[in-house]
Structures are given as structure tokens and as C-alpha cells.
Amino acid sequence: MKQFNTIADLQQYLNEKRQDNAAIGFVPTMGALHEGHLSLIRAAKATCDFSVCSVFVNPTQFDDKGDLDRYPRTLETDAKLLTTEANDVLFAPSVDDIYPPGLNTAHGVDFGHMASHMEGAHRPGHFDGMAQVVRRLVDIVGCTHLFMGQKDYQQQALCREMFRQLNYDVEVVTCPIAREADGLAMSSRNRHLSPEERKNAAGINMTLRWAKEAATILSPLQIIGLATDMLNSIPGARMDYFEIVDGITLERVNSFDEADTVVACTTVRIGKVRLLDNMILKAV
Ligand code: AMP
């Protein structure tokens, strides 16, 4: 695996690859890699000629400075894991290289309501920072395919919408959620849970699995009411939201007939840790 820490070095290398018309699969991450990230690398390797993984803790998507400071930085271990997966290129740029003073790096897209509810309502500015860095990184890498996790459902839906509005010829591939044995979605934040909280956190996925079964007999509104009670009754837990939405537009649905794809999205705080999860309740 090659590692580049500057845009100039990365682009010099990738320009040669592009001349051969290679399909370049790109996996943007913030590091602290786990099985979920590695499943994206495997998908990129299986689909494309070439895989590029970035590790960049993007300061513009953190609404909470303490959260940014606490974010785990484990580049050496990440590089070892990526080598084991035979990833082709690791790109680990500096903040100054990504956001040089004077350069306009705004994402330039109007997401409307798509970005203002669910995560958007709880983390002001988060999605603007996320879209900014994804657009910037995709511009730098010049990938043909972008691999993202279903784990951050709203994020991948917004990136699809961004490339649609910008007319980018980039295929977004959304990969399934990698989970622990008890169903908890893998996340770099799970390491901040105490053993007791970690055990209780399995209740989030249990509730989503219940919602999937209930979708055959109950309405979205009924499921939201009962799921809210279930999540808030997990010891030490406080639900931020539980929504049932159209999988493309992210608009709330009142009936499962309203959209081809319907997804339940939730975020629950257990102790100080915010845990995101979702479940596709209906797909065509
Ligand atoms: P992050 O480093 O948290 O910004 O995540 C980088 C990418 O990995 C995003 O596309 C996430 O959706 C994806 N990802 C994170 N956790 C998981 C998981 N448990 N399963 C699948 N993909 C994931």
C-alpha cells in the first residue's frame, strides 16, 4: 500500500492510474478503523481496479469542539489494517492542505429539508461540514465510485443528492451495516461506552428489529410511538429521534405505501455517547 500525506503527491500518483481508465473506488473515513470501514474497502476492491481510503478527522463537521478533541486518532494502526486488506492507497492529508486559506471549499448545494431534520436537527452545521469535505475529497481523488456505509443513512442520501445536483459522474455505493454479535452497529464511538452501557446498547438494534417485524401490521406512527417507549426504557438511554422516512427523499411517511424504500432511523444517547442506527423496513 502507498501512503500519501499531501494532495500533490497523491494526484501525481493517481494521474498515472487514470490514464489507464482505471475504475477508482474511494472510501472516505475519519480513521479509528473497524470492521465496518474495512467492509467498505473490500467492496471497493471487489468493484473497482483500485482502492483509495482517506483518513481525515474533518474539523468542519464537528458542532462540538470537545467531540473533535476526543475523536480517536490511530493512524498507524489504521495503516496496518488497510495493508492487511490490500488497500492500494492511504491518503492522510493535513487540515491546511484540505482547507487552504482563501480557497472557497463550500459544497454549493441546497439540501432543503433533507439536511435539517434527524441528525441535522441535533447537530447544527454537521451536514454542511460533511458535504464540504466529501465534495473536496472527491474532487481531489477524482474517483469513479464512492463507497459509504448505510450506518450513516442520512449522510449517504445527502451525498447522492449532492452529486445529482452537481451532475458529478460518481457512483455512490451504499454498503450494509457491520454489527457486533449482539446487533450493535460498529462505531468508533462504541469504545467510549462502559461495560454496562455497552450491554444496554444492544437494545437499540433490538428495537429496530422489532420495528421491521411490526411494519407488516402497524402504521409508521404506531411504530414510532412504541419504539420511542422501548428506546427510552433502555437503562441510561435517552432517544434523540426515531423517524420512519422515504429512503430517497428522507421525508416522513405516514403509510408504508407512500415510498418504495422506507427506513427507520434513530439516534440514542447512552451515557455521553450518541449512537446512530437504522433499519430498512421496506425495499423494492
Ligand atoms: P467515519 O469514519 O465514521 O466517518 O465513517 C466512514 C465511513 O464508514 C462512512 O461511510 C460510514 O457510514 C462507514 N461506516 C461506519 N461505521 C460503519 C458500520 N458499522 N458499517 C458499515 N459502514 C460503516
Side-chain angles (χ1 to χ4, degrees), residues 28-30 34 36-37 40 71 148-149 151-152 155 176-178 186:
T29 81
M30 297 208 296
H34 52 66
H37 300 110
L40 305 190
Y71 205 86
M148 306 197 87
K151 158 89 184 340
D152 299 277
Q155 169 172 289
I177 303 174
M186 288 186 182

Side-chain angles (χ1 to χ4, degrees), residues 209-221:
R209 278 187 281 136
W210 168 83
K212 187 165 171 84
E213 279 182 25
T216 53
I217 43 172
L218 299 180
S219 72
L221 204 65

Side-chain angles (χ1 to χ4, degrees), residues 27-37 39-40 56 61 71 147-153 155-156 175-179 184-189:
V27 181
T29 81
M30 297 208 296
L33 302 183
H34 52 66
E35 180 56 31
H37 300 110
S39 71
L40 305 190
F56 179 67
Q61 72 188 68
Y71 205 86
F147 292 82
M148 306 197 87
Q150 183 200 318
K151 158 89 184 340
D152 299 277
Y153 196 91
Q155 169 172 289
Q156 60 80 41
C175 300
I177 303 174
R179 299 184 178 280
L184 178 66
M186 288 186 182
S187 164
S188 41
R189 293 170 199 274

Side-chain angles (χ1 to χ4, degrees), residues 112-128:
H113 183 243
M114 273 186 98
S116 64
H117 72 146
M118 300 201 288
E119 280 305 284
H122 290 269
R123 301 187 64 187
H126 166 67
F127 283 134
D128 282 329

